[in-house]
Amino acid sequence: MFLEPGGAAADEDGVYIVYMGAPASSKGSLRDDHTQLLDSLLKRKKDALVHNYKKSFSGFAVLLSAEEANSIAESPGVVSVFPDPVLELHTTRSWDFLKYGTSVMMESNPSSDSNLTDHGSDVIIGIMDSGIWPESESFNDKEMGEIPKKWGGICAKGRDSSTFNCNRKIIGARSYGESLPRDVIGHGTHVASTAAGAEVHGASYYGLASGTARGGAPGSRLAIYDVFSSQNRGRGSTVLAAFDDAIADGVDVLSLSFGSSSILQQEFIKDPIAIGAFHAVQNNITVVCSAGNDGPNPGSVVNSAPWILTVAASTIDRGFESNVVLGNYEVIKGEGINFANIQASPVYPIMYAKSARKSGVAENATRNCRPDSMEQELIKGKIVVCDNEDSLFPYINKQNEVKKLGGIGVILIDDELREVEFNFGAFPTSVISSKDGAKPDIAAPGVNILAAWIGNDTAETPEGKEPPLYNLLSGTSMSSPHVSGIAATVKSRNPEWSPSAIRSAIMTTAAQINNNKAPIMTEKSTAATPYDFGAGEVSTTGPLQPGLVYETTTIDYLNFLCYHGYNTSTIKIMAYTIPHGFTCPKESSIDLISNINYPSISIPYFDEKAGRKVIRTLTNVAGDAKTVYNVSVDAPTGLYVQVVPDNLEFTKFGDKSSYQVSFSIGNPLKKDVFGSITWSNGKYKVRSPFAISSKNGGLAFE
């Protein structure tokens, strides 16, 4: 959860976001300083306004010079001014995998299946993405009741709006340009159906992954916010406009499957997603975001603010083989989806790209099949084996280069890519292993996910086939809506629960073993840690009855901002509701973030001599019967963990009880270490993972 404070300097002309914190009132009236500042600007630059944020928070996006931006940043009531950032998309069977991959004790009523079919139709999931294809059968509104009275949004106003129809499933849709919120990319449709698509039998991608497609909360409503263009990129100013609308419209859950690059992360008051999510959570909306696809390297998680439920991607038990048959009929297992028209017997010559190296070209370039690195006469008519080590040169470029030189197929060697079956189209391609030749909060299926698709996609349609109605995608984009669907289901069962209670229920009931009852592994076949999957693989049933939850309070979030160096006056501008007399603690530093009441414990900069103590508070949500929870600790050798008291008693619903955890070590840490603290009363298990990083160590998760 730790970001390097950065914030790009306002050093060029363009669109800037002026963030001014909370609105004047819950009714969305403009603050006086907001009105005065904007009026002053527009008198000088009549057409400069891009967006005006006035419903759920204060601010605007406007065309400015660098000098003007720096001047406005000094104005009273302004929290931050920053350039409008570019955000990128983080680009079914998965629900059955989740259902059978985890096991928890449940009441006889509700049944173990009820979370998938329970309709909770008053819950509204807001999807910020590339729009939606409303005609997909996944968005039919059969057997759905009337639209909830709390809904205050709109449906596709603009030109040709008669060609875009909402219903009792898609109850609202907004776009932020001249076009309708109709999806032309496919990503938004896929995400929306994964979160809340209706049950559709016989769905498949040209016969692959055949079965029943359904969302995590098939009875929930969908509100669509189209914030992306056809180029797969969106602007932070547009995303803030969507947050402003969605909060006022009345959504219960917001699902975002995009973000900035991990190398371009900004501090929280210059991050549009962190800003929008902060105000959404203050309005009791659960915000679920993908963790990004830049990993699995340390520090590669994005959307890591503590008020966001951040989701990593895991795999499911689905694979699409694209095997390589050698001349001796030995079979090397490969992965990938393609519709190649070639023989299945070994009649084509295979060569390693390195053997076709042009004179004067670096060997590494040839091994990776870079342009102008191979001799055409040697490649022609052959299947070419390419290393896939160069992240700056994607596999599609290697395909194109081999194809241009007359090759008839490509075999990519890549241990990590092999875990994700890409659609390689009609050109024969397979991925094999070299062996053959923090935050996040939670993990959910994100690889080979079948979900609804746009109905007019001819660009990637194999020759002679109709456009697919369903498609297979991979990435944390696909994992985030899984958790959004679960969050919506939990909300439908517990409408009074706060976003932090819902997050806690999801995190503390997660599994650390796969559906084969073995430990979850990384794509490199090493044991996964909380840096890889947070609390573990999300469960569909456990969050409905977690027993106890960790409530992260407004004070916790405000103190978090204090620990990150923001002063009391800035924080008071940001928060609409703030406890009377609130001030930042006298001693505020980033290493104190472990003090907030979060379902996990992250201790960076661990002082090996002094050790560390943290306090957590649990709330009973299991009923009014008296119950006692006992603690168990899983800690690595050399780390000493003491929990006081070692049992907690609850007598009624809503009871709270606190405990203290002391961490100490006998010898200096050589690497980051992990463990967990679990409270159990014999019926419920409430597990909190922890991560300890050395005083000079790297990032820790939260």
Side-chain angles (χ1 to χ4, degrees), residues 108-131:
S108 58
N109 186 20
S111 72
S112 61
D113 284 347
S114 61
N115 65 302
L116 297 178
T117 56
D118 176 48
H119 291 294
S121 59
D122 283 344
V123 175
I124 303 167
I125 303 177
I127 304 289
M128 289 189 199
D129 214 283
S130 62

Side-chain angles (χ1 to χ4, degrees), residues 287-403:
V287 181
V288 183
C289 295
S290 52
N293 292 336
D294 290 347
N297 303 312
S300 61
V301 172
V302 299
N303 299 328
S304 59
W307 44 86
I308 295 172
L309 180 49
T310 310
V311 187
S314 63
T315 59
I316 62 174
D317 57 344
R318 170 186 288 152
F320 302 105
E321 292 187 357
S322 183
N323 294 336
V324 178
V325 183
L326 302 180
N328 60 359
Y329 286 90
E330 177 187 351
V331 177
I332 297 177
K333 285 191 174 182
E335 301 287 342
I337 300 169
N338 63 63
F339 301 92
N341 185 23
I342 62 172
Q343 296 183 39
S345 56
V347 298
Y348 308 100
I350 295 178
M351 77 174 303
Y352 188 22
K354 184 177 72 170
S355 300
R357 180 163 66 101
K358 276 186 175 181
S359 176
V361 174
E363 180 183 301
N364 182 66
T366 308
R367 286 193 298 102
N368 281 273
C369 296
R370 292 189 68 95
D372 300 320
S373 67
M374 299 175 288
E375 292 286 356
Q376 182 170 7
E377 290 305 313
L378 296 176
I379 295 296
K380 190 175 181 179
K382 298 182 178 67
I383 295 174
V384 181
V385 179
C386 304
D387 288 340
N388 202 42
E389 302 166 341
D390 188 348
S391 61
L392 298 178
F393 191 63
Y395 73 83
I396 188 68
N397 298 76
K398 303 178 196 293
Q399 268 190 318
N400 291 339
E401 182 66 14
V402 171
K403 187 176 181 180

Side-chain angles (χ1 to χ4, degrees), residues 246-325:
I247 295 168
D249 288 346
V251 303
D252 298 293
V253 176
L254 274 169
S255 184
L256 286 73
S257 293
F258 56 86
S260 64
S261 166
S262 62
I263 62 174
L264 298 176
Q265 293 185 71
Q266 300 295 325
E267 57 177 311
F268 297 116
I269 61 171
K270 294 183 178 180
D271 178 347
I273 294 176
I275 290 169
F278 179 80
H279 292 284
V281 169
Q282 285 216 318
N283 283 273
N284 208 35
I285 298 168
T286 299
V287 181
V288 183
C289 295
S290 52
N293 292 336
D294 290 347
N297 303 312
S300 61
V301 172
V302 299
N303 299 328
S304 59
W307 44 86
I308 295 172
L309 180 49
T310 310
V311 187
S314 63
T315 59
I316 62 174
D317 57 344
R318 170 186 288 152
F320 302 105
E321 292 187 357
S322 183
N323 294 336
V324 178
V325 183

Side-chain angles (χ1 to χ4, degrees), residues 31 53 126 218 372 477 511 548-549 570 623:
R31 284 178 7 200
Y53 314 123
D372 300 320
S477 281
L548 306 172
V549 296
T570 297

Side-chain angles (χ1 to χ4, degrees), residues 16-30:
Y16 285 79
I17 295 170
V18 180
Y19 172 52
M20 302 185 69
S25 71
S26 59
K27 296 180 181 179
S29 58
L30 286 177

